Amino acid sequence: MTQLPQDFMCRMQDMLREAYPAFLRSYEDEKAQALRVNALKGTKEEFLAKADFGSLREVAWEKNGLYYTETSDCAPGKHPFHEAGVYYIQEPSAMAPAVYLEAQPGEHVLDLCAAPGGKTTQIASYMQNQGILVCNEIHAARAKILSENVERMGIRNALVTNETPRRLAEIFDGYFDRILVDAPCSGEGMFRKNEEARGEWSLANVQLCADRQDEILDCADRMLRPGGRLVYATCTFAPAENEGSIARFLERHSEYRILEVKKYDGMSAGVPEWAYYEADGSGGGRAAGHETDGTARPCADRAENSRTAFGHTVRLFPHLVQGEGHYLAVLQKHGENPAGYQSFPANGLQKGINPKEAKEFLQFQQAFLQVDLLENAQDRLLRFGEQLYLMPERMPSINKLKVLRAGLHLGALKKNRFEPSHALALALKKEDVRQFMELGTEENARAYLGGMTLNHDGERGWYLMTYQGYGIGWGKLAGQVMKNHYPKGLRICRKV
């Protein structure tokens, strides 16, 4: 194990005092592993009835979260359920911020720093494909991974963008009901599971991250409507990036207050003194405005930034919870929108095409689907060249935005035919199609995922391939041969 940075250890010892030895010992423990069942695909109870993953234990703060122990017989990342989007493998502490966001169906929600997509897909499961979920990532390569995870989890109402927070703020002024800022940070909370993060850490980088967080939070403020909820989260222990970031934000934006939220077993309260913690250059430090012996002076003159308010924020330490290090704060913006008010993006709303321009899709839907995807959505078809998308209701215009995914990718309009997308297969259930082929065994599922052709008796045409009832891809039957349409770029060869 790579040695922890000396400056980091000095500061943590100064912060934790008598709890420091227990904190240090936690780095000798195995990291906790967990998955989150995708509520868009089915219930946790249905998954548990089908899964053979050994002993699974619930994550206290996420109703669909389950701890697992990886063994030769239990490797969730290599199971067909993973490819079907039945669950997302997610660090347990990282599940907490989206829980506290409390996103609701029909709302306008933003995940501002969204890659690789764990929290985005978690938010989407709460929204149940209703409303607008804008998930943004500033780095292009990471935005692509985000888009792929949105697809795998069968999400229909997501707009995936690759923009700067400042650019989004120009378009979405006062637009969102809820915003999650899972801020880029120094990553101290990931030291146990990511040794590379230790080598990249420095006190200077902590300050750089804190400055960046100030700018991101200011952009988030511009995009949040009056009365809206903002959840700020990091995976670091650094006071400057946690209580410090919130204190500086509240000093710039007095219209916000910290909300009191439920803390689950093992969760700690934020520390008011750490809001003004000053590093002394040796990795240690002290709280500004406090005695050097660590005893706190009254801070009533800080107005809303009181002892009680910062006690409402949440810290997760690896020696107290089964998870890595995280921090989160839940803020509410003062005011409320008038009854019936509908926020409107500066770009306006995206216009769709006439469904008659996508007759090949209409023919496919009539022949092979049991559901009408255009029911109450006649104006929501969007076309890019031959690619066809089903937009979320009242989707913002994508004019002059870098967009990777604009709702549900339906497929490609070819000459006199329609070819359904992999995203559509992952968004459908077997009840939604006229024909499906149940792969039955894990061996058959792995063969399909590897690109093998299968035999099947039935009517010609498109089939939703399913594994234990979950859609996993497309097949097309000609004669008794089921042609494999699982994307070549995703195919995997695995030993059974």
Side-chain angles (χ1 to χ4, degrees):
M1 179 180 289
T2 303
Q3 180 67 36
L4 292 168
Q6 186 63 39
D7 286 345
F8 167 76
M9 291 194 293
C10 288
R11 195 202 64 216
M12 293 306 299
Q13 184 172 19
D14 182 70
M15 290 168 59
L16 296 178
R17 306 294 173 88
E18 64 274 7
Y20 179 69
F23 170 79
L24 205 58
R25 286 194 299 271
S26 73
Y27 285 85
E28 301 172 6
D29 299 334
E30 290 292 327
K31 64 183 180 182
Q33 296 176 297
L35 59 83
R36 177 178 43 78
V37 178
N38 182 7
L40 298 178
K41 298 292 181 82
T43 66
K44 181 177 69 175
E45 289 69 30
E46 290 169 343
F47 166 74
L48 289 172
K50 297 174 181 179
D52 185 16
F53 286 0
S55 177
L56 298 172
R57 297 175 293 105
E58 294 184 352
V59 176
W61 44 88
E62 167 51 68
K63 63 182 180 181
N64 288 314
L66 296 166
Y67 290 103
Y68 68 87
T69 301
E70 184 159 352
T71 65
S72 58
D73 297 324
C74 173
K78 299 178 181 179
H79 196 278
F81 281 161
H82 181 269
E83 309 311 316
V86 178
Y87 51 73
Y88 191 101
I89 295 176
Q90 189 173 16
E91 198 281 311
S93 294
M95 297 180 189
V99 171
Y100 287 104
L101 189 66
E102 297 184 356
Q104 302 296 316
E107 292 184 324
H108 297 167
V109 180
L110 171 64
D111 187 355
L112 185 52
C113 314
K119 297 176 182 66
T120 282
T121 57
Q122 189 178 4
I123 293 167
S125 71
Y126 305 147
M127 296 180 71
Q128 287 294 302
N129 284 322
Q130 300 173 47
I132 298 287
L133 173 56
V134 177
C135 34
N136 180 73
E137 173 56 44
I138 191 172
H139 300 289
R142 286 170 55 80
K144 183 179 178 182
I145 295 171
L146 168 64
S147 183
E148 291 169 351
N149 279 321
V150 165
E151 174 176 286
R152 182 170 62 86
M153 303 301 276
I155 298 168
R156 303 187 186 192
N157 66 325
L159 178 63
V160 182
T161 59
N162 172 213
E163 288 289 353
T164 65
R166 183 172 298 178
R167 173 61 181 151
L168 290 182
E170 294 171 355
I171 294 171
F172 292 107
D173 184 46
Y175 178 78
F176 292 104
D177 300 297
R178 301 175 194 266
I179 297 176
L180 173 62
V181 176
D182 182 29
C185 67
S186 57
E188 296 173 2
M190 296 294 107
F191 281 178
R192 182 167 62 171
K193 62 177 291 187
N194 184 358
E195 293 192 28
E196 184 179 343
R198 305 179 196 183
E200 297 174 349
W201 183 90
S202 69
L203 289 174
N205 189 47
V206 168
Q207 188 57 52
L208 180 67
C209 290
D211 293 341
R212 185 186 300 126
Q213 290 153 7
D214 289 350
E215 181 180 355
I216 292 172
L217 279 170
D218 287 344
C219 290
D221 163 63
R222 290 176 58 187
M223 293 185 277
L224 190 66
R225 69 162 175 82
R229 174 175 287 213
L230 171 65
V231 173
Y232 174 78
T234 72
C235 57
T236 191
F237 304 114
E241 301 179 66
N242 293 333
E243 291 92 346
S245 281
I246 296 302
R248 295 190 302 274
F249 178 75
L250 293 176
E251 287 171 355
R252 298 191 304 274
H253 302 279
S254 60
E255 70 274 27
Y256 285 82
R257 65 187 179 97
I258 300 174
L259 295 182
E260 182 176 7
V261 295
K262 175 182 178 180
K263 294 183 179 69
Y264 295 85
D265 288 347
M267 290 183 173
S268 305
V271 180
E273 291 78 16
W274 292 350
Y276 308 100
Y277 187 97
E278 295 175 347
D280 64 9
S282 66
R286 64 186 180 88
H290 292 76
E291 301 291 357
T292 54
D293 63 2
T295 57
R297 291 176 179 170
C299 53
D301 59 324
R302 297 291 187 177
E304 191 67 27
N305 303 352
S306 67
R307 174 177 296 277
T308 300
F310 276 101
H312 295 335
T313 68
V314 180
R315 276 186 173 266
L316 291 87
F317 286 104
H319 62 292
L320 298 176
V321 300
Q322 285 193 299
E324 304 307 314
H326 276 69
Y327 173 84
L328 67 90
V330 183
L331 307 174
Q332 184 172 27
K333 194 173 188 176
H334 177 73
E336 59 182 27
N337 284 330
Y341 174 82
Q342 186 109 42
S343 55
F344 204 75
N347 269 5
L349 301 181
Q350 182 66 43
K351 293 182 179 180
I353 64 170
N354 190 314
K356 294 180 180 179
E357 299 177 48
K359 61 180 182 180
E360 296 88 352
F361 167 72
L362 298 179
Q363 292 166 354
F364 166 85
Q365 177 172 258
Q366 183 176 14
F368 299 111
L369 301 188
Q370 295 272 37
V371 293
D372 181 3
L373 295 175
L374 300 188
E375 184 178 6
N376 302 319
Q378 296 294 316
D379 59 345
R380 285 163 49 191
L381 284 178
L382 182 63
R383 183 171 182 174
F384 298 101
E386 64 178 18
Q387 303 302 318
L388 190 67
Y389 284 77
L390 180 63
M391 299 183 288
E393 185 177 3
R394 292 178 57 83
M395 190 182 83
S397 171
I398 60 176
N399 182 40
K400 296 182 180 179
L401 278 176
K402 297 176 186 175
V403 173
L404 281 74
R405 189 172 297 271
L408 175 61
H409 182 207
L410 296 174
L413 297 165
K414 306 286 187 178
K415 186 176 181 180
N416 299 322
R417 65 185 176 90
F418 178 77
E419 187 167 307
S421 71
H422 186 55
L424 180 58
L426 293 173
L428 294 173
K429 300 179 180 179
K430 65 180 184 180
E431 296 82 7
D432 298 330
V433 298
R434 298 188 186 280
Q435 302 176 146
F436 68 91
M437 177 181 172
E438 171 56 44
L439 292 164
T441 67
E442 187 173 337
E443 181 179 4
N444 285 343
R446 292 181 184 278
Y448 171 76
L449 293 170
M452 287 185 62
T453 297
L454 304 171
N455 296 323
H456 187 69
D457 290 323
E459 296 184 19
R460 295 167 60 91
W462 290 100
Y463 282 69
L464 181 67
M465 309 298 289
T466 63
Y467 176 60
Q468 296 200 33
Y470 299 110
I472 199 169
W474 290 110
K476 192 173 186 182
L477 187 64
Q480 293 183 319
V481 177
M482 183 69 73
K483 185 177 180 182
N484 194 318
H485 279 260
Y486 195 75
K488 292 182 179 179
L490 297 179
R491 291 181 182 178
I492 40 184
C493 296
R494 296 173 177 155
K495 294 181 181 180
V496 179

